[in-house]
Amino acid sequence: MRKLFFFFLISSQIAFAQNRNQLWKGYFSYNDVNDLTESPTKIIASTQKSLFSKNLATNELKTINTIDGLSGQDISAVYHSQEYNKTIIGHANGLMLVMNESDGRILIVPGIRDQAGITPNKKRINHFYEFEGKLYVSCDFGVVQFNLITSNFGDTYLIGPAGEEVKVFQTTILNNFIYAVTQLNGIRRANLTNANLNDFSQWQVFDPGYWSGMVTHNNQLVGTNLDNRVYRHNGSSFSLVGSLAQPGLDVRSYQNKLIVTTQNFAYVYDENLTLTNQINSNQILDITPLDFTCGTVINNILYIGTRENGIITAPLNNTSTFQILKPDGPSRNNVFAIQTTPTNKLWAVYGGYNIYYAPDESTHGISKFTDTGWLNIPYEETLESNSLVRITVNPKDENNVFFSSFHDGLLEFQDDVAIAKYDYTTPNGPESVSDVAPSDPYKSTRVNGAAFDRAGNLWFNNSRVNNAIKVLRANGQWQSYPIEDFVTTVIEDYGRMAIDKNGTKWFVTSQNTLMGFNENVTPKFKKAFHDADIGNALPGNARAIAIDNRNQIWVGTMGGLRVLSSVDRFMGEDVELETNPIIIMDDGLAQELLYEQFITDIAVDGANNKWIGTADSGVFLLSPNGQETLQRFTRENSPLPSNSINDIEINAQTGEVFFATTAGLVSFKGTATKGNDDLSQVYVYPNPVRPEFYGTVKIANLINKANVKITDIEGNLVYEATSEGGTLEWDTKAFGKYRVASGVYMIFISSEDGVETKVKKVMIVR
């Protein structure tokens, strides 16, 4: 016997209002639909992290994701209450969100998630059923009652034979009896007029069989059984309605239609349970594979949720004409790597490997975002290249793009079309892992980190082979460099690569952590310390590397962060590559920054700040020297859909910082941009600054290290700073103390050497 008590407190927990997070953008995939809910004027679909809807009267397509206030938790069920104009979102961890459709406000309802005494991994919400102002919430442990008017929880029903937790797929109500379809204990029934339903003994076995779902349709019970059949109850027993080709995944009744969905079939019955339509996924040409998840009918239009293509629609009177309904987006949410281009395009790939560098051999293709939307290139158009893990754009021709495959070598694109794949069959090109053991028929050509040098040569690492470093020269010639004389074993995996000002190729590895290579010096390879008795030991298995604006190398590993003081150390004779942790003071105690954090990526912005991605702790923004944490973004305090970060990329021109996570791609509008070559394009925004504005004034398109002085119209200095990168912010305060008065303010800008100058004005209205 349990009861959930949550009163006014929960109504105060309001999530981000829509459009409130102006600094954030979402780039989500809406392909994988796991549930549908309906009204006469709207169809709403849920995906893992987001919702989308279509207004059937206006055809308006609307998306709702973490930018708008969703939690970032995995969505498991969605329901729209027409009477109360609310959409309820259920999650795999028991969290509920209640969205008021009239104003978009989202109420966080954590009652089930936070309820003590329930097995933590059994709080998943499976289904909602509305009756007389109450929702009956089917969960993996039982049924919970929720009041749609007060947003309070009522009783919790644990309805196992001895009052234990049982998984409930679905509930329905007929003639004041509530029916609960359980996983292992059949259909259990109770009388709603009974005031003691939280006593498990009041729930009787209605049918002991194995069912997957049940609804009330035309005043009778209709359900899907695990014997792949549909039954109705005639008041005394079940009778057969029809057979299914596969197990039923979803059954629902709406507008006198019964819709049953299996993996590849959708069945539509009328109010008399006569089968009127049967849709096979094979009928929907040019879309393969195609897996159904759920279905409904609104105004005689069939809507089928799918795993790969959003919603498939067709009129019931012409089910040979299908349309795809989904918002524009990338093909998947689990983005492994991203890359921007000079003209603000963004590439994304979905391959990957695990913590042991074992490739996933995925076949998810490539996506590209431009100002016209998303271009999704399927696996079949990538010369069947799988496990795509990195993107390298040719700086001399951004339409020439190379994709590293951790299984199939190197893929080259020109103008969005695959033109070549370089693998173990390419003379002098990438080599296969099996080349180490020629008797092994398995071929896996593992290319990862890649970068162009100033001469237009493409360098990359090739894992688990002797010729670890390879180059495709600008003239089309290949060259390889062996590593066997510098390491104890060549059976090693390599990660990201960066090229410094001296032409040294730096890359992270699974065993030797950080290595450098320069073909013009002796020795060609050097490695940083990985011995606890010498220098400051690097934790094993490095994953991230970045060269900052002061030519320091920042290395992220599975166990923390290290810094190599200068890239020039590689060029010195007999100079040891000694790395160091960053020591900060925390409550008077010296602490190692990001101690034992699994760091997945490091990106450096125009102000030399460091954006650090982690495997399970979100994103850290560090000051140039790492001594100050400027920002911390997690799923709990920001629109990040996951704390597991795969990749970070910064648009140097706009300052937009992209975060590729395991659950979606989002961006944050940073202000640290790359410094310009001159001051000719400097501009100030917003201008004028109006009374309702409470942000900062940005002075953009500066050169690096520009001196900026701001004075009032009489020449009194109110602000002075030196830019780091291409953008500087002013909080409209006189040296940070008090807000300046209304008026025109002069902005005097000069280069570090004083040769270039620029004068701008900004008007402030209080």
Side-chain angles (χ1 to χ4, degrees):
M1 183 185 302
R2 288 189 178 91
K3 208 166 189 175
L4 300 179
F5 294 100
F6 296 92
F7 298 103
F8 180 77
L9 176 63
I10 61 171
S11 65
S12 67
Q13 301 187 53
I14 304 295
F16 307 108
Q18 293 182 31
N19 300 322
R20 181 177 174 184
N21 289 289
Q22 306 260 339
L23 296 177
W24 290 84
K25 290 182 181 179
Y27 303 86
F28 287 86
S29 171
Y30 298 93
N31 288 346
D32 188 355
V33 171
N34 57 30
D35 201 6
L36 296 172
T37 186
E38 60 279 286
S39 78
T41 61
K42 182 185 293 187
I43 178 76
I44 302 173
S46 65
T47 69
Q48 180 190 22
K49 302 290 183 179
S50 59
L51 304 181
F52 69 90
S53 64
K54 180 182 179 181
N55 187 306
L56 305 180
T58 65
N59 289 324
E60 177 190 10
L61 202 60
K62 181 181 178 182
T63 62
I64 303 171
N65 50 53
T66 59
I67 308 301
D68 308 299
L70 296 193
S71 69
Q73 301 288 344
D74 288 349
I75 297 173
S76 55
V78 64
Y79 174 75
H80 178 72
S81 170
Q82 299 174 40
E83 182 175 355
Y84 298 98
N85 198 25
K86 296 177 179 179
T87 298
I88 297 88
I89 306 158
H91 297 81
N93 69 346
L95 177 69
M96 278 174 49
L97 302 181
V98 180
M99 182 169 62
N100 191 327
E101 294 284 357
S102 62
D103 59 12
R105 291 172 65 82
I106 297 176
L107 178 70
I108 301 174
V109 188
I112 296 174
R113 183 197 66 186
D114 296 346
Q115 170 68 355
I118 300 295
T119 304
N121 63 351
K122 291 187 176 181
K123 295 183 177 183
R124 178 187 177 91
I125 295 173
N126 300 314
H127 182 260
F128 297 104
Y129 184 83
E130 181 181 355
F131 183 73
E132 295 183 350
K134 296 177 182 177
L135 276 184
Y136 292 87
V137 187
S138 300
C139 304
D140 275 3
F141 61 85
V143 180
V144 179
Q145 193 184 94
F146 180 75
N147 192 307
L148 284 168
I149 302 173
T150 65
S151 294
N152 295 333
F153 283 99
D155 289 338
T156 294
Y157 307 131
L158 302 182
I159 60 175
E164 70 272 28
E165 299 173 357
V166 294
K167 184 173 185 176
V168 179
F169 293 127
Q170 192 169 359
T171 61
T172 191
I173 293 174
L174 178 64
N175 298 329
N176 270 330
F177 279 91
I178 179 171
Y179 298 82
V181 180
T182 72
Q183 182 181 31
L184 300 174
N185 300 99
I187 301 171
R188 306 188 77 81
R189 183 179 83 161
N191 193 325
L192 285 179
T193 62
N194 189 328
N196 195 29
L197 288 189
N198 50 12
D199 176 5
F200 71 91
S201 65
Q202 305 302 310
W203 292 75
Q204 305 300 313
V205 176
F206 180 71
D207 186 275
Y210 293 92
W211 300 80
S212 58
M214 179 159 288
V215 297
T216 301
H217 179 70
N218 195 20
N219 205 35
Q220 58 188 322
L221 296 176
V222 182
T224 52
N225 194 285
L226 293 189
D227 64 3
N228 294 0
R229 294 178 180 177
V230 181
Y231 295 92
R232 65 178 166 186
H233 197 267
N234 59 18
S236 59
S237 63
F238 282 104
S239 60
L240 181 65
V241 172
S243 297
L244 307 175
Q246 299 164 318
L249 299 176
D250 183 78
V251 58
R252 65 184 67 203
S253 176
Y254 190 72
Q255 292 185 343
N256 294 321
K257 303 291 184 184
L258 178 80
I259 308 95
V260 179
T261 309
T262 74
Q263 181 175 348
N264 299 113
F265 291 86
Y267 304 85
V268 181
Y269 299 84
D270 64 15
E271 59 185 351
N272 299 314
L273 292 176
T274 300
L275 182 65
T276 60
N277 301 90
Q278 178 176 317
I279 309 301
N280 186 332
S281 61
N282 292 334
Q283 296 174 234
I284 306 173
L285 303 178
D286 302 324
I287 304 178
T288 56
L290 189 61
D291 292 332
F292 297 164
T293 58
C294 50
T296 191
V297 172
I298 308 175
N299 303 332
N300 289 313
I301 302 293
L302 175 64
Y303 297 86
I304 305 173
T306 74
R307 287 288 178 204
E308 309 87 358
N309 284 277
I311 300 174
I312 302 294
T313 74
L316 291 182
N317 61 4
N318 184 10
T319 52
S320 62
T321 302
F322 298 96
Q323 293 183 337
I324 297 176
L325 171 61
K326 64 175 181 178
D328 190 28
S331 59
R332 291 171 58 83
N333 278 323
N334 190 349
V335 179
F336 189 77
I338 49 179
Q339 181 64 52
T340 60
T341 75
T343 58
N344 301 330
K345 299 177 178 63
L346 178 74
W347 289 92
V349 292
Y350 309 95
Y353 39 75
N354 62 16
I355 61 172
Y356 306 106
Y357 276 101
D360 61 13
E361 300 189 29
S362 57
T363 58
H364 301 311
I366 299 168
S367 295
K368 178 185 180 182
F369 181 71
T370 68
D371 55 6
T372 60
W374 285 93
L375 169 67
N376 291 309
I377 303 168
Y379 166 74
E380 293 75 17
E381 296 178 19
T382 67
L383 304 180
E384 297 187 344
S385 303
N386 60 22
S387 299
L388 298 174
V389 295
R390 299 286 166 235
I391 309 129
T392 310
V393 177
N394 188 338
K396 297 184 178 181
D397 176 10
E398 72 168 57
N399 294 314
N400 183 227
V401 184
F402 290 81
F403 299 89
S404 302
S405 167
F406 212 62
H407 186 68
D408 284 324
L410 191 66
L411 175 66
E412 182 178 5
F413 263 57
Q414 185 66 48
D415 299 320
D416 302 339
V417 176
I419 61 171
K421 181 164 70 172
Y422 309 107
D423 58 15
Y424 66 92
T425 65
T426 304
N428 302 315
E431 300 171 42
S432 173
V433 169
S434 62
D435 291 347
V436 177
S439 61
D440 186 354
Y442 177 71
K443 300 289 185 181
S444 183
T445 308
R446 302 184 181 185
V447 174
N448 198 345
F452 279 93
D453 65 17
R454 294 176 182 175
N457 304 310
L458 177 64
W459 295 85
F460 60 92
N461 52 45
N462 195 166
S463 292
R464 297 189 169 228
V465 298
N466 179 35
N467 293 316
I469 296 295
K470 292 184 169 61
V471 58
L472 174 58
R473 298 200 177 275
N475 61 7
Q477 298 298 308
W478 292 91
Q479 192 169 352
S480 301
Y481 296 88
I483 199 173
E484 60 188 350
D485 293 337
F486 303 93
V487 294
T488 56
T489 175
V490 299
I491 309 301
E492 184 168 12
D493 294 299
Y494 307 125
R496 289 179 170 90
M497 174 185 285
I499 301 179
D500 69 23
K501 63 177 183 175
N502 302 316
T504 302
K505 276 62 71 174
W506 298 92
F507 57 102
V508 291
T509 81
S510 60
Q511 297 179 47
N512 289 290
T513 307
L514 173 65
M515 295 198 70
F517 167 81
N518 193 311
E519 69 277 20
N520 299 315
V521 301
T522 301
K524 292 180 172 58
F525 286 92
K526 290 183 181 180
K527 60 182 178 181
F529 286 126
H530 188 56
D531 187 333
D533 297 326
I534 304 176
N536 289 286
L538 274 165
N541 208 334
R543 292 303 170 107
I545 182 172
I547 301 173
D548 73 8
N549 301 343
R550 297 172 184 170
N551 294 310
Q552 295 178 312
I553 296 181
W554 293 63
V555 181
T557 79
M558 290 177 61
L561 179 70
R562 292 293 187 274
V563 179
L564 182 67
S565 60
S566 172
V567 299
D568 293 335
R569 296 184 67 82
F570 186 95
M571 308 302 291
E573 294 184 8
D574 300 323
V575 175
E576 296 176 338
L577 301 183
E578 183 177 347
T579 62
N580 294 282
I582 294 177
I583 304 301
I584 59 174
M585 298 303 294
D586 185 8
D587 291 333
L589 297 176
Q591 303 285 338
E592 180 180 323
L593 177 66
L594 300 179
Y595 178 65
E596 292 190 345
Q597 285 284 350
F598 186 158
I599 296 172
T600 56
D601 196 21
I602 303 172
V604 181
D605 66 21
N608 208 29
N609 300 315
K610 314 303 186 299
W611 295 83
I612 311 290
T614 68
D616 56 12
S617 300
V619 176
F620 295 83
L621 174 59
L622 307 180
S623 62
N625 61 6
Q627 289 296 312
E628 183 180 358
T629 299
L630 306 176
Q631 293 272 14
R632 171 82 185 282
F633 295 136
T634 67
R635 183 177 62 189
E636 291 72 28
N637 70 6
S638 76
L640 272 182
S642 170
N643 286 332
S644 181
I645 310 300
N646 286 333
D647 203 9
I648 301 176
E649 178 69 14
I650 301 173
N651 186 319
Q653 283 70 43
T654 66
E656 187 174 9
V657 186
F658 294 88
F659 306 108
T661 80
T662 56
L665 175 65
V666 297
S667 73
F668 176 77
K669 186 63 169 69
T671 59
T673 58
K674 183 179 179 181
N676 279 24
D677 294 331
D678 55 47
L679 295 173
S680 62
Q681 303 298 317
V682 171
Y683 66 96
V684 181
Y685 70 98
N687 193 5
V689 178
R690 302 188 183 279
E692 64 273 14
F693 181 76
Y694 289 96
T696 58
V697 171
K698 281 79 173 176
I699 307 163
N701 284 352
L702 297 168
I703 58 176
N704 194 33
K705 303 296 182 183
N707 179 259
V708 178
K709 294 182 179 181
I710 302 176
T711 73
D712 61 22
I713 200 66
E714 297 177 350
N716 298 307
L717 185 66
V718 296
Y719 180 78
E720 183 175 11
T722 300
S723 69
E724 289 277 2
T727 303
L728 189 144
E729 292 184 88
W730 176 40
D731 60 4
T732 70
K733 293 181 179 179
F735 295 104
K737 295 181 179 180
Y738 56 87
R739 296 172 70 197
V740 297
S742 296
V744 175
Y745 290 80
M746 307 298 297
I747 304 173
F748 300 94
I749 307 164
S750 63
S751 61
E752 189 175 17
D753 57 11
V755 173
E756 284 195 75
T757 61
K758 196 78 172 180
V759 179
K760 305 294 287 186
K761 298 178 182 179
V762 61
M763 175 178 286
I764 295 179
V765 182
R766 296 302 190 191

